Amino acid sequence: MKKHWLTRMKPWAWLVALIVVSPLVSLGTAVGEDPLPWALRDTYKVNYGDYTFSFAGDWGEWKIEHIEGNAVIETAQARIILADGRSLYPFDAGKGSGGATRITESDFGTGITYSVVSPNYNGVQFTQSVSLHRGNPFLLLRVAMTNMGDAPIEIAEINPAMFSVSGLGLRSTHGMRHMRARGPYLGPDMGMSPFLGLFTDPDVNFTLAVGTLPLGRSESTTEVSRQDTSWQVTARNVYRPTIQLEPGDTIESDPVWISFSIPRPSDVDMYYTYAHSQLPRPESMARAPRHWISVPAGSTADDLYRAVDHWARSGIRHALVPALWQDASGALEGARPAYPRQMSNVASSLRGKGVAPGLTIDPLLTDEGDPSWSVSTDEGQTWINPSHRAARSAAVDRLQELAAWGFEFFAVEASLIPDDVLRTFNLTRKEADALAFEIMADAAGDLPVVPTAALDIRPDLTAWLNVSGATSRLREYGMVAGPVRFDATGIDRFDDALLTAMMFYGGSIEFKGVPSSGLVSQIARIISAPHVAARPLSIEQTPRQWQVHYSETATAPERQGIVLFPDAPALDLASHGFDAGMMVWRAEEGELLQIGSNPLPATDTLTFLGMASAPSHPLFVGLPTLPDALFQSYQDLQWDADTKTLSGRYTGGGSGHAFVALPPGWQLESAQINERRVRLDSQDGYVAFEVSESGPTRFTLVFSRG
């Protein structure tokens, strides 16, 4: 796994985990035979610390337990739900045959897969498996079903894992990550079951995490519910509409991601995000615009032009033509009178206003389909089968025209293709959507293809912490979250906490509405600010404790900090892996106050705490107040050990006192600000000087050590 500045944990010595493979004997196929007690069964075991994962090499069940025998997960099973409501359980198929297969190539590198294949049971055969990948402290569980009969089977849902979590202490907590997938993008979704569920017992330093890695065919979630003293967990792959499994065909679930070896929840979050980053994604994702202007679906070209004018001083340099610009027939021409017939005129007009034009499109809608790979409805619309090779080729050729019109990015809308048509193609809506992204990406070439915004986020701190908490870590690993939409109508200004939470969002933001001049100025600061990498320190729906790295031009120890949002609880830095000798400071009323590093008290206001390892020389702190700490930028910041000189250039983002922290025994000898020699007084442990937002401030400070 690639390293990152936020990785404060020691490298996990996964290779020291003991993998025990009990010798497998020839396993029978007697349906209905009862399994032996676990101690007498052939099992594959993964030991880490005081906990063991056991996978049965006969019936394919698995469990996680403490070395003293207390089960965290007693016995987990799988289930397939058919369209007629019947449920099929691999366990009911009876004793199967197990084996191990080495993984020589995969998205997660080399490793080994342990699997159990059931006997033929009522015309189906199940394969249950667990995979371990070298260097990765997580397991991947899957279940597959093969139609061994002579008639199709209609599948509604697969549950690759169902189990209860119990045996944790009274102080145990449960955290979640709410997201959903659209094509190659992950985005926040507060209305669905979570992607990731975590169960943490701080008394024994243990965290169990269960998540899903969606592969684009089903609606994949991890459903968690509380039952007395335990949690019921069900990994769900829901197929909407239902799909037909033809004789001889196999359907496999999305992988279930399991971790029980990483004690800190924030580190679990890191590895889970890393796992998503290893799945194939288009290179153009990195070029997706971070912000754009748009108007509601059905608006006219003139409406969009006016919106661009309203946001002209915001610094946003992209604008998106919304849905319903297209002629109802599906032809690639504007729907008059709202749009000109030649949409290249719209692209040209937007470019003339200083913004890069984008276009919303449904790649599955066409006006020139072939009966062998398309279906026409009574409403006069024609829909292509995106899984058909000829249909894909024709669609790519057709959609390449959009780039020739001068549009520079494309937003794939959630298709209105009817369920009856999807059933004809034997495709789920998720699968058709993923294929639509692939078609548009092939047509767009190097131009970015993004999803349309799925959520409207109101100007509310809790709402923005929710979506930012779910997505902020995606940016660390080269991914971009799907866009959210913000309507500025009727809003005068943001408070600093809301502005900060918005900056932490891990994807694109679509702006609409008529903004006030004050709000435009604030948005302009977000647009022009240096990149802010941020991660929540807790796994909950509304995280209020964050670690940030807030300048890409300075060395990491000088640019880290903690952001505490209003109502943040007390923070134990040591429990998050920070060194006990860290220096922690905050600015208050023009003074730099060094504070004890552990624990940090609860707060009811937005608070920024600078952090660095205990310095051996004067340390440039900058403007350690929010939101200036996140907007400020510097160039040429350096420390010369020979001359004991600290120098650099502040290039803007805030105004007020910039601070330099002095370790014991250091004194300021001389100072130059903007090439002029000035007198600065050394305070108790720091030196301060004025910087201005209006222009660069050069500084050269010479020190001595007593």
Side-chain angles (χ1 to χ4, degrees):
M1 188 185 75
K2 58 186 178 183
K3 295 182 179 179
H4 192 270
W5 70 267
L6 282 177
T7 307
R8 303 191 56 84
M9 57 188 291
K10 294 181 180 179
W12 287 104
W14 182 245
L15 295 182
V16 305
L18 176 63
I19 301 177
V20 181
V21 183
S22 300
L24 289 178
V25 298
S26 176
L27 299 177
T29 58
V31 177
E33 182 180 348
D34 292 331
L36 295 169
W38 275 95
L40 302 177
R41 300 170 72 177
D42 297 292
T43 57
Y44 306 101
K45 294 184 178 181
V46 179
N47 298 334
Y48 191 91
D50 292 336
Y51 294 87
T52 299
F53 173 93
S54 301
F55 180 75
D58 43 24
W59 270 263
E61 304 156 283
W62 58 271
K63 65 177 182 177
I64 296 176
E65 61 184 355
H66 192 269
I67 56 175
E68 295 180 355
N70 301 323
V72 177
I73 297 176
E74 183 68 45
T75 300
Q77 296 189 21
R79 176 177 63 184
I80 288 83
I81 302 176
L82 305 184
D84 61 10
R86 289 182 297 152
S87 293
L88 303 179
Y89 294 88
F91 180 86
D92 291 340
K95 191 175 183 180
S97 58
T101 304
R102 294 198 177 277
I103 304 170
T104 58
E105 184 178 357
S106 75
D107 294 326
F108 305 100
T110 60
I112 192 167
T113 294
Y114 303 112
S115 59
V116 174
V117 180
S118 78
N120 189 328
Y121 173 67
N122 292 340
V124 298
Q125 186 177 64
F126 304 101
T127 301
Q128 299 174 87
S129 65
V130 57
S131 298
L132 298 82
H133 298 268
R134 183 177 297 274
N136 291 315
F138 52 79
L139 312 175
L140 298 179
L141 296 160
R142 300 175 178 88
V143 63
M145 187 178 82
T146 301
N147 185 351
M148 307 293 287
D150 54 9
I153 301 173
E154 194 168 355
I155 310 294
E157 181 173 345
I158 296 179
N159 304 137
M162 302 185 302
F163 54 88
S164 293
V165 178
S166 59
L168 302 182
L170 295 177
R171 295 202 305 136
S172 298
T173 59
H174 166 229
M176 297 178 290
R177 279 281 176 264
H178 287 270
M179 292 190 291
R180 69 178 306 167
R182 275 213 62 209
Y185 287 83
L186 300 178
D189 191 327
M190 299 302 106
M192 289 187 66
S193 296
F195 258 24
L196 177 69
L198 295 95
F199 308 90
T200 300
D201 187 344
D203 293 333
V204 293
N205 200 27
F206 174 78
T207 294
L208 169 70
V210 184
T212 182
L213 297 179
L215 300 181
R217 194 175 192 186
S218 68
E219 296 176 9
S220 191
T221 61
T222 304
E223 188 174 276
V224 179
S225 60
R226 182 77 179 187
Q227 294 185 354
D228 297 328
T229 60
S230 66
W231 287 278
Q232 181 65 38
V233 180
T234 303
R236 301 187 64 193
N237 296 177
V238 180
Y239 301 89
R240 294 193 178 99
T242 56
I243 55 174
Q244 297 279 349
L245 186 65
E246 298 295 331
D249 286 351
T250 298
I251 186 171
E252 184 176 70
S253 71
D254 291 341
V256 178
W257 187 93
I258 299 280
S259 166
F260 66 99
S261 62
I262 309 171
R264 286 196 294 268
S266 58
D267 292 334
V268 172
D269 196 22
M270 177 186 67
Y271 274 106
Y272 183 60
T273 306
Y274 159 76
H276 278 285
S277 74
Q278 298 306 294
L279 300 176
R281 301 186 190 279
E283 293 182 3
S284 64
M285 176 181 285
R287 296 185 289 276
R290 292 297 315 281
H291 316 89
W292 62 76
I293 304 159
S294 194
V295 289
S299 300
T300 68
D302 288 338
D303 292 333
L304 182 57
Y305 301 152
R306 283 190 290 270
V308 171
D309 291 339
H310 290 314
W311 291 93
R313 297 179 60 189
S314 68
I316 302 175
R317 293 294 174 257
H318 292 80
L320 177 66
V321 176
L324 303 183
W325 62 267
Q326 196 173 358
D327 186 82
S329 67
L332 293 181
E333 57 184 43
R336 290 166 290 175
Y339 290 90
R341 181 175 180 180
Q342 299 295 328
M343 289 297 291
S344 58
N345 294 334
V346 176
S348 178
S349 296
L350 290 172
R351 193 174 291 105
K353 290 180 173 292
V355 294
L359 188 68
T360 302
I361 189 70
D362 181 350
L364 305 185
L365 180 64
T366 188
D367 63 337
E368 48 188 40
D370 185 283
S372 65
W373 46 258
S374 67
V375 169
S376 296
T377 65
D378 294 340
E379 291 75 20
Q381 294 176 314
T382 300
W383 304 95
I384 68 166
N385 180 353
S387 66
H388 194 287
R389 180 175 300 179
R392 288 171 62 98
S393 178
V396 169
D397 290 344
R398 175 174 177 267
L399 295 173
Q400 284 175 338
E401 183 180 346
L402 305 183
W405 290 351
F407 288 96
E408 299 181 29
F409 71 103
F410 301 96
V412 175
E413 62 177 309
S415 181
L416 297 178
I417 183 172
D419 281 354
D420 288 345
V421 176
L422 290 172
R423 288 190 183 93
T424 300
F425 299 151
N426 199 28
L427 293 174
T428 66
R429 189 163 296 278
K430 278 289 185 183
E431 189 174 13
D433 190 49
L435 293 171
F437 272 91
E438 291 181 8
I439 289 171
M440 193 64 239
D442 288 345
D446 292 335
L447 298 176
V449 177
V450 300
T452 51
L455 287 178
D456 288 279
I457 309 300
R458 60 192 184 279
D460 173 77
L461 178 60
T462 297
W464 278 101
L465 287 175
N466 288 350
V467 298
S468 294
T471 61
S472 63
R473 299 212 69 160
L474 297 177
R475 294 181 64 187
E476 293 182 49
Y477 293 97
M479 295 181 287
V480 178
V484 294
R485 185 183 299 109
F486 174 73
D487 189 343
T489 302
I491 300 170
D492 185 28
R493 292 182 66 86
F494 292 141
D495 63 29
D496 289 342
L498 181 58
L499 192 66
T500 302
M502 182 178 284
M503 289 185 66
F504 290 173
Y505 183 63
S508 305
I509 301 176
E510 176 179 293
F511 291 92
K512 69 176 185 178
V514 180
S516 68
S517 59
L519 187 61
V520 166
S521 298
Q522 287 187 303
I523 297 300
R525 296 188 73 191
I526 292 178
I527 303 302
S528 61
H531 169 61
V532 178
R535 64 159 168 164
L537 291 175
S538 59
I539 308 302
E540 54 187 324
Q541 187 164 346
T542 309
R544 297 182 181 273
Q545 302 167 328
W546 293 67
Q547 183 187 357
V548 295
H549 181 269
Y550 55 100
S551 173
E552 75 281 9
T553 60
T555 58
E558 299 174 359
R559 305 265 61 83
Q560 294 187 46
I562 297 292
V563 174
L564 302 176
F565 286 91
D567 299 323
L571 176 62
D572 181 358
L573 291 175
S575 69
H576 292 282
F578 294 100
D579 296 335
M582 295 279 300
M583 184 179 76
V584 182
W585 64 81
R586 71 173 184 266
E588 186 175 294
E589 297 180 354
E591 294 185 355
L592 185 69
L593 305 177
Q594 294 193 33
I595 62 177
S597 61
N598 196 43
L600 302 178
T603 180
D604 57 2
T605 60
L606 181 68
T607 304
F608 176 79
L609 300 168
M611 302 181 67
S613 299
S616 58
H617 58 76
L619 176 68
F620 185 76
V621 174
L623 279 70
T625 55
L626 288 171
D628 290 334
L630 306 179
F631 292 125
Q632 62 187 320
S633 59
Y634 304 89
Q635 293 180 4
D636 306 322
L637 184 63
Q638 57 184 326
W639 167 256
D640 188 322
D642 293 332
T643 63
K644 298 180 177 59
T645 300
L646 179 67
S647 61
R649 183 162 65 99
Y650 172 78
T651 56
S655 60
H657 288 93
F659 293 93
V660 176
L662 299 180
W666 287 86
Q667 300 87 32
L668 176 68
E669 293 294 331
S670 64
Q672 287 188 357
I673 307 297
N674 287 334
E675 315 300 334
R676 296 182 59 185
R677 190 177 182 89
V678 298
R679 179 180 176 82
L680 300 176
D681 294 327
S682 297
Q683 305 296 326
D684 183 18
Y686 68 90
V687 173
F689 59 93
E690 292 286 338
V691 295
S692 173
E693 187 174 11
S694 61
T697 302
R698 299 178 181 274
F699 54 91
T700 302
L701 308 178
V702 181
F703 298 89
S704 63
R705 187 174 188 179

